[in-house]
Amino acid sequence: MEFHSDDFWSLYIEYEIKNNNFKEAMALYDRVLNIPTQQYETHFQRFNILVSSRSPVEYLTTEELIAIHSKIQAENDNDQIAMEDLPSVDIEDSLSETDLQKIRQHILDTRKQMYLLNEIQVKKRSKFEEGIKRLYFFASPVNVKQLRNWRKYLDFEMSEGQHERIVMLYERCLMPCAKYEEFWLSYAQYMKEHSVEAARSVFERACRIHLPLKFTLHLQWALFEEKLGQLDSARAIMCNLEKVLPGVVMVRLRRVNFERRNGNLQEAERLLREAVHNSSGTKKAAFYAVKLSRLLLKLEKDPEKARDVLVDALKKDPNSPYLHQCLLEVEIARDDVDSVMHCVKSALNSNIHDAIKGILSQRRLEFLEDCGNNINSLLNAYDEHQTLLKQEEFKRKAVHDKEEEEKNKKAKTQSDSASVEDNISTSGIVPHAAASVAHQSVSTTNTTTTESSTHQAIVNTPKSTNSNQPKPTPSTRGKVPVPRPTVRLYMPPHRAPVPPLMAPFFRGSVPPPRMSFQPPMPPVPPYSYRPWMQNYVEYRSPQPWHYNRFYTPF
């Protein structure tokens, strides 16, 4: 029933025709003409060739031949002949050529209706089939578009309601998408409604063959078995999973909750104590300790044991806010005022966040309001709570002031840079020319006097060859001349030698305007490289022919 199964159908039909089994070939055509495949037109054309080139007697059974002949007789307004009145042996000899032609035409007409209905089904599925680019399993991930196409295709088939086609499409989908648990879960969820054994087979294939390390899939399988009452199977699934993936919190909690639901509280307590012991020194120890204390407090109704568990956990992790909060709730459940005061005091002396301290102080204040008998304790708790609120407000204000100061500094820096650009633009200097001048001034201060005299910034003007220009004196030698802030005709410097591979990377280079005379050739200024290309000398050194300075091999 697969969309690309035409080759199998063609080979099967050709085999039957080659062995002169025309009746079997006719039965195969009746099946394939009702299945939406990619080459459905080819099957119908070959069927027409078979029907037209052979006598109906060869590819129709005697019952089909009698039924079609009697139907044709009834359509011609003749008295319908009962099937038992027709000769069952000599029917082939009694049919004339006209009758055979009518039977052949009747067969073509009925199969044409099947072909048209099948064409509608093919058009519904063609858009989904075009989106499938991988029909096999591969280690690389499947494209997001193909995953979305598979989801839509499965939804469409389930809306059609044909169980065989839905199962076939799921099996097709799980070949390229075998590593995606969502399709396995969807397949198992669908098969639950039809067969429990089939759903269990889907879970077993997914968990034991394709996805042995996906704990969510194993946990769903365990829930499935528990729902069916197979407690031993569910317990074995989770135990085997924890052996494969030790230390996963979700797996241990599922085991604890499984035992708790089935009334085995001692086993649940043992599992949590074992988890607390195995995770000692990690953050998971506090989590398991809270779970264990809650089990002891709520289910076993033993607040003393619950308190002892949390106290032991706080000795190992005194700065855990989660433990302090849970211990306070246990002490409140015990209705012991002194224990509540001691618990909150130890929490306030720890290094937990100030917001958590405020919550604990507020909870203590509410408890003393409702259950306290000493007014001095209540007033002291109130004063400490107000102090905490003021400290928190002071810290919040300090952080806010620091952020505002940083914003003001940033805004001032941007405004200063903008004013410098405005002054440069109003003074008649083109921005990128001024930038080159500034860069050259920085470079000359970091190099020797000889290099600075070689790489001076020159602004090319038509009057640059004037003899009245003042000569450099010993006091001004080695310094960069600053152009006068007058509006003059600007001529950009000549372009620096550009490497052939990086021509688009050089920006700001404008070709010189056409002039009646050749301007003097100024010295080539050093190019301002990006921060990731600081070593100019190394870049100018010869490199191998395959060297690319922007895509290094490391």
Side-chain angles (χ1 to χ4, degrees):
M1 299 183 70
E2 191 178 349
F3 192 78
H4 301 279
S5 60
D6 302 282
D7 294 338
F8 291 102
W9 285 106
S10 299
L11 290 173
Y12 195 4
I13 294 172
E14 289 176 2
Y15 170 79
E16 297 293 352
I17 293 176
K18 184 178 180 180
N19 291 278
N20 296 325
N21 298 326
F22 300 107
K23 296 180 180 179
E24 287 78 2
M26 187 69 176
L28 292 175
Y29 273 121
D30 289 339
R31 291 174 57 189
V32 74
L33 290 178
N34 288 308
I35 298 175
T37 58
Q38 188 177 18
Q39 300 177 9
Y40 69 102
E41 296 180 349
T42 304
H43 296 308
F44 185 68
Q45 294 173 1
R46 293 177 179 177
F47 173 77
N48 289 338
I49 294 173
L50 176 63
V51 172
S52 302
S53 60
R54 295 288 176 178
S55 174
V57 178
E58 298 182 17
Y59 52 77
L60 289 180
T61 62
T62 304
E63 292 79 8
E64 292 175 345
L65 198 62
I66 295 173
I68 294 174
H69 182 65
S70 61
K71 188 174 182 179
I72 293 174
Q73 294 277 340
E75 290 177 356
N76 294 331
D77 294 332
N78 295 330
D79 294 334
Q80 186 174 2
I81 304 174
M83 295 184 63
E84 59 271 10
D85 296 336
L86 291 174
S88 60
V89 179
D90 300 333
I91 183 64
E92 301 175 0
D93 300 333
S94 63
L95 294 175
S96 62
E97 186 63 29
T98 304
D99 295 334
L100 294 177
Q101 188 63 30
K102 290 181 180 180
I103 294 173
R104 189 180 291 112
Q105 187 62 37
H106 178 79
I107 294 172
L108 292 175
D109 293 340
T110 54
R111 270 51 175 193
K112 182 65 177 294
Q113 297 297 325
M114 296 166 56
Y115 165 77
L116 294 176
L117 293 175
N118 191 29
E119 186 178 18
I120 296 173
Q121 298 297 326
V122 171
K123 290 181 179 179
K124 289 181 180 179
R125 293 165 175 81
S126 59
K127 59 180 181 180
F128 300 110
E129 294 291 342
E130 291 174 359
I132 300 174
K133 305 300 181 182
R134 185 189 296 179
L135 299 174
Y136 49 87
F137 174 77
F138 196 71
S140 64
V142 183
N143 192 5
V144 177
K145 293 183 178 179
Q146 296 187 43
L147 293 176
R148 190 183 302 115
N149 182 68
W150 279 116
R151 297 187 191 102
K152 293 181 179 179
Y153 199 1
L154 290 169
D155 293 339
F156 166 75
E157 284 295 349
M158 282 192 276
S159 65
E160 291 291 318
Q162 299 182 17
H163 177 69
E164 292 80 6
R165 296 202 61 82
I166 294 172
V167 173
M168 181 271 302
L169 186 61
Y170 266 115
E171 295 294 338
R172 281 185 61 193
C173 174
L174 290 173
M175 285 189 286
C177 305
K179 294 297 182 181
Y180 293 86
E181 58 181 327
E182 60 172 304
F183 296 106
W184 288 104
L185 289 174
S186 178
Y187 190 19
Q189 190 68 28
Y190 172 77
M191 294 304 293
K192 287 179 185 178
E193 304 174 358
H194 297 81
S195 175
V196 174
E197 292 298 329
R200 183 178 287 112
S201 175
V202 172
F203 276 119
E204 188 173 358
R205 288 166 53 194
C207 297
R208 295 183 178 177
I209 300 175
H210 299 283
L211 300 172
L213 301 180
K214 288 286 185 178
F215 65 90
T216 54
L217 196 60
H218 290 76
L219 296 178
Q220 290 292 329
W221 186 16
L223 290 176
F224 171 74
E225 297 292 347
E226 183 183 358
K227 185 178 179 180
L228 296 176
Q230 303 294 329
L231 301 182
D232 294 336
S233 299
R235 186 179 289 106
I237 291 169
M238 289 186 287
C239 290
N240 293 333
L241 177 62
E242 197 166 20
K243 292 178 181 178
V244 176
L245 298 174
V248 180
V249 178
M250 182 63 70
V251 179
R252 177 54 64 100
L253 289 183
R254 284 294 179 90
R255 289 188 63 188
V256 171
N257 294 329
F258 170 78
E259 301 294 344
R260 177 187 57 80
R261 283 193 299 268
N262 293 279
N264 195 356
L265 295 180
Q266 294 181 356
E267 180 66 17
E269 181 182 352
R270 187 194 67 80
L271 291 173
L272 286 176
R273 290 188 181 277
E274 182 181 357
V276 172
H277 181 267
N278 294 336
S279 60
S280 179
T282 62
K283 293 182 178 180
K284 293 189 292 184
F287 177 78
Y288 285 126
V290 171
K291 291 290 184 181
L292 178 58
S293 65
R294 186 173 300 170
L295 176 69
L296 297 173
L297 178 65
K298 300 295 183 180
L299 298 178
E300 297 188 6
K301 307 299 181 181
D302 194 346
E304 295 296 333
K305 286 186 177 180
R307 179 182 178 278
D308 295 339
V309 169
L310 294 175
V311 169
D312 293 339
L314 277 172
K315 291 179 181 179
K316 300 177 182 178
D317 189 5
N319 297 323
S320 175
Y322 197 30
L323 290 175
H324 283 291
Q325 289 178 335
C326 293
L327 180 59
L328 179 59
E329 295 299 328
V330 172
E331 298 293 0
I332 291 175
R334 294 175 63 242
D335 292 333
D336 191 348
V337 178
D338 296 334
S339 299
V340 171
M341 299 295 291
H342 182 268
C343 173
V344 176
K345 185 177 180 180
S346 62
L348 296 179
N349 294 329
S350 63
N351 294 328
I352 61 177
H353 196 270
D354 293 338
I356 305 298
K357 291 182 180 180
I359 294 174
L360 296 176
S361 178
Q362 178 68 30
R363 189 72 181 90
R364 177 186 61 177
L365 192 61
E366 294 176 357
F367 174 76
L368 292 177
E369 286 280 0
D370 297 336
C371 306
N373 297 323
N374 192 349
I375 187 62
N376 294 326
S377 301
L378 178 61
L379 293 177
N380 292 333
Y382 179 79
D383 294 338
E384 291 182 7
H385 184 68
Q386 295 299 323
T387 304
L388 286 173
L389 293 180
K390 290 179 181 180
Q391 291 178 358
E392 186 177 357
E393 182 66 24
F394 178 76
K395 292 181 180 179
R396 189 184 300 110
K397 186 178 180 181
V399 173
H400 179 72
D401 294 342
K402 186 177 181 180
E403 292 178 355
E404 289 294 333
E405 185 179 357
E406 292 178 355
K407 289 182 181 178
N408 294 333
K409 288 182 179 180
K410 186 176 181 181
K412 185 178 180 181
T413 305
Q414 293 177 355
S415 62
D416 293 342
S417 61
S419 63
V420 171
E421 292 179 358
D422 294 341
N423 294 333
I424 292 175
S425 61
T426 55
S427 62
I429 304 175
V430 179
H432 63 271
S436 64
V437 171
H439 171 73
Q440 293 168 16
S441 64
V442 173
S443 62
T444 53
T445 57
N446 296 330
T447 55
T448 61
T449 307
T450 306
E451 293 177 350
S452 63
S453 62
T454 307
H455 299 289
Q456 291 180 355
I458 298 177
V459 179
N460 295 321
T461 62
K463 299 179 181 180
S464 61
T465 57
N466 190 2
S467 61
N468 296 326
Q469 186 175 3
K471 298 182 180 180
T473 61
S475 60
T476 61
R477 188 173 299 158
K479 297 183 180 180
V480 178
V482 180
R484 295 180 179 179
T486 57
V487 180
R488 62 184 65 183
L489 179 63
Y490 171 72
M491 181 183 302
H494 281 293
R495 300 171 62 184
V498 179
L501 295 179
M502 301 308 299
F505 195 79
F506 292 86
R507 299 176 180 175
S509 58
V510 183
R514 297 181 180 179
M515 302 181 63
S516 59
F517 60 91
Q518 184 68 23
M521 181 65 69
V524 179
Y527 183 74
S528 176
Y529 287 91
R530 297 295 179 183
W532 53 84
M533 281 295 162
Q534 297 290 342
N535 198 343
Y536 175 76
V537 178
E538 183 179 356
Y539 173 72
R540 295 297 297 269
S541 62
Q543 300 291 343
W545 64 271
H546 62 279
Y547 179 79
N548 193 336
R549 66 190 180 101
F550 286 95
Y551 297 93
T552 54
F554 47 84

Short mmCIF file of all heavy atoms in Angstrom, two decimals, residues 15 56 59 63 72 93 127-129 134 147-148 157-158 163 223 233 241 307 316 339 363 424-425 475 478 512-513:
data_model
loop_
_atom_site.label_atom_id
_atom_site.label_comp_id
_atom_site.label_asym_id
_atom_site.label_seq_id
_atom_site.Cartn_x
_atom_site.Cartn_y
_atom_site.Cartn_z
N TYR A 15 4.91 -11.23 -13.93
CA TYR A 15 5.17 -12.64 -13.67
C TYR A 15 3.93 -13.49 -13.95
O TYR A 15 4.02 -14.57 -14.57
CB TYR A 15 5.62 -12.80 -12.22
CG TYR A 15 5.68 -14.22 -11.75
CD1 TYR A 15 6.76 -15.04 -12.08
CD2 TYR A 15 4.66 -14.77 -10.97
CE1 TYR A 15 6.81 -16.36 -11.65
CE2 TYR A 15 4.71 -16.08 -10.54
CZ TYR A 15 5.79 -16.88 -10.87
OH TYR A 15 5.84 -18.17 -10.46
N PRO A 56 -12.24 -11.86 -22.90
CA PRO A 56 -12.71 -11.87 -21.51
C PRO A 56 -12.77 -13.26 -20.91
O PRO A 56 -12.71 -13.40 -19.68
CB PRO A 56 -14.09 -11.22 -21.60
CG PRO A 56 -14.05 -10.39 -22.82
CD PRO A 56 -13.18 -11.14 -23.79
N TYR A 59 -9.42 -13.99 -18.81
CA TYR A 59 -9.08 -13.31 -17.55
C TYR A 59 -10.27 -13.13 -16.62
O TYR A 59 -10.15 -12.47 -15.60
CB TYR A 59 -8.41 -11.95 -17.82
CG TYR A 59 -9.16 -11.04 -18.75
CD1 TYR A 59 -10.29 -10.33 -18.32
CD2 TYR A 59 -8.74 -10.87 -20.06
CE1 TYR A 59 -10.95 -9.49 -19.17
CE2 TYR A 59 -9.40 -10.03 -20.91
CZ TYR A 59 -10.51 -9.33 -20.47
OH TYR A 59 -11.18 -8.50 -21.33
N GLU A 63 -18.12 -17.39 -13.05
CA GLU A 63 -19.14 -16.65 -12.31
C GLU A 63 -19.16 -15.18 -12.71
O GLU A 63 -20.22 -14.58 -12.89
CB GLU A 63 -18.89 -16.79 -10.81
CG GLU A 63 -19.11 -18.19 -10.25
CD GLU A 63 -17.93 -19.11 -10.54
OE1 GLU A 63 -16.88 -18.60 -11.05
OE2 GLU A 63 -18.02 -20.33 -10.27
N ILE A 72 -25.61 -7.09 -18.57
CA ILE A 72 -25.73 -6.43 -19.89
C ILE A 72 -27.08 -6.73 -20.51
O ILE A 72 -27.73 -5.87 -21.11
CB ILE A 72 -24.57 -6.90 -20.80
CG1 ILE A 72 -23.24 -6.38 -20.25
CG2 ILE A 72 -24.79 -6.42 -22.22
CD1 ILE A 72 -22.03 -6.90 -20.99
N ASP A 93 -18.74 -20.81 -25.08
CA ASP A 93 -19.01 -21.09 -26.49
C ASP A 93 -20.26 -20.37 -26.97
O ASP A 93 -20.38 -20.08 -28.18
CB ASP A 93 -19.18 -22.59 -26.70
CG ASP A 93 -17.92 -23.35 -26.30
OD1 ASP A 93 -16.82 -22.73 -26.37
OD2 ASP A 93 -18.04 -24.52 -25.90
N LYS A 127 0.90 16.20 -2.44
CA LYS A 127 1.61 17.33 -1.83
C LYS A 127 2.44 16.86 -0.62
O LYS A 127 3.51 17.41 -0.35
CB LYS A 127 0.62 18.41 -1.42
CG LYS A 127 -0.43 17.97 -0.43
CD LYS A 127 -1.37 19.11 -0.07
CE LYS A 127 -2.43 18.67 0.94
NZ LYS A 127 -3.34 19.80 1.29
N PHE A 128 1.93 15.87 0.10
CA PHE A 128 2.72 15.34 1.22
C PHE A 128 3.88 14.49 0.73
O PHE A 128 4.97 14.53 1.30
CB PHE A 128 1.83 14.51 2.15
CG PHE A 128 0.68 15.28 2.75
CD1 PHE A 128 -0.62 15.02 2.37
CD2 PHE A 128 0.90 16.27 3.69
CE1 PHE A 128 -1.68 15.71 2.92
CE2 PHE A 128 -0.15 16.98 4.25
CZ PHE A 128 -1.44 16.70 3.86
N GLU A 129 3.65 13.73 -0.32
CA GLU A 129 4.72 12.88 -0.84
C GLU A 129 5.84 13.70 -1.45
O GLU A 129 7.01 13.31 -1.40
CB GLU A 129 4.15 11.92 -1.90
CG GLU A 129 3.17 10.89 -1.36
CD GLU A 129 3.84 9.87 -0.48
OE1 GLU A 129 5.08 9.73 -0.54
OE2 GLU A 129 3.13 9.19 0.29
N ARG A 134 13.59 12.02 2.23
CA ARG A 134 14.40 10.90 2.71
C ARG A 134 13.48 9.74 3.04
O ARG A 134 12.62 9.84 3.90
CB ARG A 134 15.19 11.30 3.95
CG ARG A 134 16.15 10.22 4.42
CD ARG A 134 16.75 10.57 5.77
NE ARG A 134 17.57 11.77 5.72
CZ ARG A 134 18.19 12.28 6.77
NH1 ARG A 134 18.07 11.70 7.96
NH2 ARG A 134 18.92 13.37 6.65
N LEU A 147 10.04 17.01 8.99
CA LEU A 147 9.35 16.58 10.20
C LEU A 147 7.94 17.17 10.25
O LEU A 147 6.98 16.48 10.60
CB LEU A 147 10.14 17.01 11.43
CG LEU A 147 11.50 16.33 11.64
CD1 LEU A 147 12.21 16.94 12.84
CD2 LEU A 147 11.33 14.83 11.84
N ARG A 148 7.82 18.45 9.90
CA ARG A 148 6.51 19.07 9.88
C ARG A 148 5.60 18.42 8.83
O ARG A 148 4.40 18.23 9.05
CB ARG A 148 6.66 20.57 9.60
CG ARG A 148 5.39 21.37 9.79
CD ARG A 148 5.58 22.82 9.43
NE ARG A 148 6.63 23.42 10.22
CZ ARG A 148 7.78 23.87 9.73
NH1 ARG A 148 8.03 23.76 8.43
NH2 ARG A 148 8.69 24.42 10.51
N GLU A 157 -3.92 11.22 7.26
CA GLU A 157 -4.32 9.81 7.16
C GLU A 157 -5.25 9.42 8.31
O GLU A 157 -6.21 8.66 8.11
CB GLU A 157 -3.09 8.91 7.14
CG GLU A 157 -2.33 8.90 5.82
CD GLU A 157 -3.15 8.29 4.69
OE1 GLU A 157 -4.22 7.70 4.95
OE2 GLU A 157 -2.72 8.42 3.53
N MET A 158 -5.00 9.94 9.49
CA MET A 158 -5.89 9.62 10.61
C MET A 158 -7.26 10.25 10.42
O MET A 158 -8.27 9.71 10.87
CB MET A 158 -5.24 10.07 11.92
CG MET A 158 -4.15 9.13 12.41
SD MET A 158 -3.62 9.45 14.09
CE MET A 158 -2.43 10.74 13.80
N HIS A 163 -7.50 2.29 8.74
CA HIS A 163 -6.53 1.77 9.70
C HIS A 163 -5.30 1.20 9.00
O HIS A 163 -4.15 1.43 9.44
CB HIS A 163 -7.19 0.70 10.56
CG HIS A 163 -6.26 0.05 11.53
ND1 HIS A 163 -5.72 0.71 12.62
CD2 HIS A 163 -5.74 -1.22 11.56
CE1 HIS A 163 -4.93 -0.10 13.28
NE2 HIS A 163 -4.92 -1.28 12.67
N LEU A 223 4.27 3.51 32.46
CA LEU A 223 2.91 3.97 32.77
C LEU A 223 1.87 3.14 32.03
O LEU A 223 0.79 2.85 32.56
CB LEU A 223 2.78 5.45 32.43
CG LEU A 223 3.54 6.43 33.32
CD1 LEU A 223 3.37 7.85 32.78
CD2 LEU A 223 3.05 6.35 34.76
N SER A 233 6.00 -5.81 35.37
CA SER A 233 6.61 -5.34 34.12
C SER A 233 7.01 -3.87 34.23
O SER A 233 8.10 -3.48 33.81
CB SER A 233 5.64 -5.54 32.96
OG SER A 233 5.33 -6.91 32.79
N LEU A 241 15.97 0.72 33.38
CA LEU A 241 16.32 2.05 32.88
C LEU A 241 17.29 2.75 33.81
O LEU A 241 18.24 3.42 33.36
CB LEU A 241 15.05 2.88 32.71
CG LEU A 241 15.23 4.33 32.27
CD1 LEU A 241 15.89 4.39 30.89
CD2 LEU A 241 13.90 5.06 32.24
N ARG A 307 11.73 16.45 60.19
CA ARG A 307 12.61 17.52 60.67
C ARG A 307 14.06 17.04 60.73
O ARG A 307 14.99 17.78 60.36
CB ARG A 307 12.15 17.98 62.06
CG ARG A 307 13.00 19.08 62.67
CD ARG A 307 12.50 19.45 64.05
NE ARG A 307 13.35 20.48 64.65
CZ ARG A 307 14.49 20.24 65.27
NH1 ARG A 307 14.91 18.97 65.41
NH2 ARG A 307 15.20 21.24 65.78
N LYS A 316 25.06 19.78 55.87
CA LYS A 316 25.92 19.60 54.72
C LYS A 316 25.82 20.76 53.72
O LYS A 316 26.77 21.05 53.01
CB LYS A 316 25.57 18.29 54.01
CG LYS A 316 25.74 17.06 54.89
CD LYS A 316 25.31 15.80 54.17
CE LYS A 316 25.44 14.56 55.07
NZ LYS A 316 24.97 13.33 54.40
N SER A 339 11.19 26.45 67.97
CA SER A 339 11.84 25.86 66.79
C SER A 339 11.68 26.76 65.57
O SER A 339 12.60 26.88 64.75
CB SER A 339 11.23 24.48 66.51
OG SER A 339 11.43 23.61 67.61
N ARG A 363 7.05 35.09 56.80
CA ARG A 363 6.33 33.88 57.24
C ARG A 363 6.42 33.73 58.76
O ARG A 363 5.45 33.31 59.41
CB ARG A 363 6.95 32.65 56.55
CG ARG A 363 6.16 31.37 56.76
CD ARG A 363 4.88 31.41 55.97
NE ARG A 363 4.10 30.20 56.16
CZ ARG A 363 3.19 30.03 57.10
NH1 ARG A 363 2.92 31.01 57.96
NH2 ARG A 363 2.51 28.90 57.19
N ILE A 424 34.01 68.50 12.51
CA ILE A 424 34.82 68.13 11.35
C ILE A 424 34.09 68.45 10.06
O ILE A 424 34.64 68.97 9.10
CB ILE A 424 35.19 66.65 11.42
CG1 ILE A 424 36.16 66.42 12.58
CG2 ILE A 424 35.83 66.17 10.13
CD1 ILE A 424 36.50 64.97 12.81
N SER A 425 32.77 68.12 10.02
CA SER A 425 32.00 68.36 8.80
C SER A 425 31.84 69.84 8.51
O SER A 425 31.89 70.28 7.37
CB SER A 425 30.63 67.69 8.93
OG SER A 425 29.93 68.24 10.02
N SER A 475 61.49 72.40 14.62
CA SER A 475 60.53 72.24 15.72
C SER A 475 59.27 71.53 15.28
O SER A 475 58.60 70.90 16.09
CB SER A 475 60.17 73.62 16.30
OG SER A 475 59.58 74.43 15.28
N GLY A 478 58.56 65.98 11.89
CA GLY A 478 58.09 64.74 12.53
C GLY A 478 56.67 64.82 13.02
O GLY A 478 56.17 63.85 13.58
N PRO A 512 39.73 58.99 -8.02
CA PRO A 512 40.01 60.43 -8.16
C PRO A 512 39.25 61.03 -9.33
O PRO A 512 38.94 60.34 -10.31
CB PRO A 512 41.52 60.46 -8.39
CG PRO A 512 41.84 59.13 -8.98
CD PRO A 512 40.89 58.16 -8.36
N PRO A 513 38.89 62.30 -9.23
CA PRO A 513 38.18 62.94 -10.35
C PRO A 513 39.10 63.17 -11.55
O PRO A 513 40.33 63.17 -11.43
CB PRO A 513 37.73 64.27 -9.72
CG PRO A 513 38.74 64.53 -8.66
CD PRO A 513 39.11 63.20 -8.12
#
